[in-house]
Amino acid sequence: MTASKDEPMTATVSMMEAGGRKLRVAHWRLGEKSDHPPVLFFNGIGANIEAVAPLAERLTERGFIMFDMPGTGNSPEPTWPYNPFTMSWTASRILEQLGVKQVDVMGVSWGGAMAQHFALQHPRRTRRLVLVATTAGMLMVPGNPAALSKMTDPRRYIDAKFMNEHFATLYGGMTKDPSGKSKHIGRLKPPTPRGYVYQLLAMLGWTSLPALPFIGKETLVMMGDDDQIVPLINGKILAGMIPNATLEVFEGGGHLFLLTHADESVASLRKFLDAPATDAEERRAA
């Protein structure tokens, strides 16, 4: 199994039955001794495991878990719609099967909304929370209309020429690492039409805004200041309403700053996730 021709993916990958669904699940280093809980990662809309594999490969000191949503990557097409509640429950069943009790939860874009919901629905399984280039759901400040119109067009996954032509409009922030475009495109596998539509529908009407003050977890909000899809103001809203949140802004970062600003992103993640437990975390652990 490879992420691309030049990037071997060292994950253990298998099909798992969870929550009445069959899903393709990848995990890294779960069998290795670590002082850190694994990361449970929720991907962006339509994105397959390989799209974020480079991040998982770099966090060598901890486990990493993610799965392809129904109809995405190599997960079978969904037979019925789903929502954040059912997929958070499904994710918890996957953790049970893997023997993982607690995780640091992380999500990017669409997956950032899933990460928020998982932390609210499964607080005992969640240690810390990382929200990347994401929003509070339907009550968001919209991005560049040109980017949003192309974001909802599945051709960005199916048609390589379309993706290449509109990449800068879609994602922004590519001046730091122009080669990141071809690398990212090479890792993508198109979702099925039904899988893509169901993923769009899953968040219809969903917002975390009223619940944000009740996220009792240390939270890192990571945003790019050149994100054409999720403007920075959305991260400021999240960080302002989550009690224990810190906002970190990546200068020149677009929607894919996790990949284009990989060194800075990994350093930020490690600093946050490895920080000593707060008094509140110590009390909860006791």
Side-chain angles (χ1 to χ4, degrees):
M1 186 77 61
T2 59
S4 74
K5 293 180 180 179
D6 303 316
E7 299 176 48
M9 193 168 80
T10 62
T12 299
V13 183
S14 63
M15 300 299 293
M16 295 179 63
E17 296 272 358
R21 303 178 188 276
K22 181 178 286 188
L23 298 169
R24 177 178 177 247
V25 179
H27 59 84
W28 286 255
R29 300 173 294 275
L30 289 188
E32 299 178 13
K33 185 177 179 180
S34 174
D35 296 328
H36 311 285
V39 171
L40 171 64
F41 189 92
F42 291 99
N43 221 333
I45 190 166
N48 50 301
I49 287 168
E50 284 81 359
V52 185
L55 174 66
E57 300 282 351
R58 295 190 64 160
L59 293 173
T60 55
E61 71 281 2
R62 55 186 14 100
F64 199 101
I65 304 161
M66 62 176 153
F67 58 93
D68 285 334
M69 285 288 168
T72 298
N74 286 340
S75 284
E77 191 168 71
T79 54
W80 60 87
Y82 55 86
N83 57 38
F85 180 88
T86 56
M87 289 313 300
S88 291
W89 181 76
T90 298
S92 72
R93 301 285 80 79
I94 289 173
L95 295 181
E96 284 185 2
Q97 291 186 47
L98 294 175
V100 175
K101 293 182 179 180
Q102 191 176 56
V103 289
D104 289 322
V105 181
M106 181 176 180
V108 60
S109 194
W110 185 96
M114 279 296 309
Q116 293 169 62
H117 194 100
F118 184 94
L120 288 162
Q121 186 173 330
H122 299 285
R124 292 185 179 181
R125 285 196 177 275
T126 305
R127 189 187 73 110
R128 291 185 175 179
L129 181 62
V130 181
L131 305 177
V132 182
T134 193
T135 76
M138 294 295 288
L139 298 179
M140 66 172 286
V141 178
N144 182 342
L148 293 177
S149 65
K150 294 173 178 63
M151 180 74 176
T152 57
D153 191 329
R155 282 186 297 165
R156 69 190 180 104
Y157 289 111
I158 298 168
D159 186 343
K161 182 180 178 181
F162 178 89
M163 173 70 109
N164 188 62
E165 289 178 353
H166 300 290
F167 200 91
T169 301
L170 264 167
Y171 298 113
M174 296 307 298
T175 57
K176 182 177 175 63
D177 181 15
S179 66
K181 179 171 73 170
S182 59
K183 291 178 183 177
H184 180 70
I185 293 173
R187 286 189 292 265
L188 296 177
K189 178 177 180 179
T192 69
R194 184 191 297 176
Y196 194 77
V197 169
Y198 279 13
Q199 205 169 355
L200 284 171
L201 292 177
M203 292 296 174
L204 191 64
W206 181 93
T207 181
S208 62
L209 202 61
L212 291 177
F214 302 101
I215 294 181
K217 305 295 178 183
E218 295 295 316
T219 302
L220 175 64
V221 180
M222 304 170 71
M223 303 292 293
D225 65 3
D226 189 31
D227 192 330
Q228 301 300 300
I229 296 170
V230 181
L232 175 57
I233 184 61
N234 292 283
K236 292 181 177 180
I237 292 171
L238 292 173
M241 294 194 65
I242 298 173
N244 303 309
T246 301
L247 174 65
E248 182 152 1
V249 180
F250 291 81
E251 185 177 351
H255 202 58
L256 299 179
F257 67 82
L258 275 183
L259 303 178
T260 61
H261 295 58
D263 291 340
E264 298 97 314
S265 296
V266 169
S268 177
L269 281 170
R270 286 193 170 119
K271 181 180 178 182
F272 171 71
L273 295 177
D274 296 350
T278 64
D279 291 342
E281 287 175 320
E282 293 282 9
R283 287 194 298 270
R284 285 196 295 270

